[in-house]
Amino acid sequence: MRYITGGIAMGAALALGGGLLAAGTTTASAAPAPVPAAQTQSLYASSALVLTVGHGANSTEASVDRAVTLTCFPKATGSHPDAKGACSALRAAGGDFEKITTIKSGTACTREWNPSVVTADGVWEGKRVRFERTFANPCEAKAGKGQLFEF
């Protein structure tokens, strides 16, 4: 009994498959979808960030004025206006955002409180990063945001 059921199922599958093949030859069929090129896996960790500049005391209260993307590996790309320079600055700092956003010594700014905040969120050399720095006013922000947040 088991062999008869298996034979019937096999015959039905062949009949349906043959019917589908026959139907495919009598009607117009779409060309097969192209196979995408194989992606090579890199030996190096990825680096992709979303950078923002806004006004407010911290990132949860701030209004975001500008936001860009930055990818540093395999090549410098993204919506950052100087992706290559920003990636170079970040590499030179060893991925330390604090070094990049340090206000240059000798900078003279007023003591007004009009905070600006910069953030970086994403992956740097395979490690998850989240950075936030608040500057007291636009003068300090201009002096401290460095090439990375210059957009």
Side-chain angles (χ1 to χ4, degrees):
M1 183 71 170
R2 177 168 66 185
Y3 298 111
I4 295 172
T5 307
I8 293 171
M10 179 65 90
L14 288 174
L16 285 174
L20 290 175
L21 284 175
T25 58
T26 59
T27 61
S29 61
V35 177
Q39 297 285 337
T40 57
Q41 293 295 325
S42 170
L43 298 177
Y44 300 99
S46 63
S47 294
L49 301 165
V50 174
L51 308 171
T52 66
V53 175
H55 283 89
N58 56 51
S59 62
T60 57
E61 297 173 6
S63 62
V64 176
D65 293 335
R66 294 178 301 282
V68 296
T69 58
L70 179 66
T71 302
C72 292
F73 187 81
K75 64 179 186 171
T77 61
S79 61
H80 194 289
D82 183 14
K84 192 179 258 185
C87 289
S88 295
L90 199 50
R91 278 194 195 99
D96 186 354
F97 293 93
E98 289 291 335
K99 283 184 183 177
I100 292 173
T101 59
T102 300
I103 299 172
K104 295 161 189 64
S105 62
T107 302
C109 291
T110 61
R111 291 197 168 283
E112 70 178 308
W113 179 247
N114 182 11
S116 295
V117 64
V118 296
T119 66
D121 194 17
V123 178
W124 176 254
E125 294 184 348
K127 294 180 184 153
R128 180 89 170 97
V129 294
R130 173 125 179 87
F131 173 78
E132 178 178 323
R133 170 81 189 255
T134 302
F135 298 100
N137 54 54
C139 176
E140 284 189 6
K142 184 172 177 71
K145 64 183 176 181
Q147 193 169 7
L148 183 64
F149 293 100
E150 189 62 46
F151 51 86

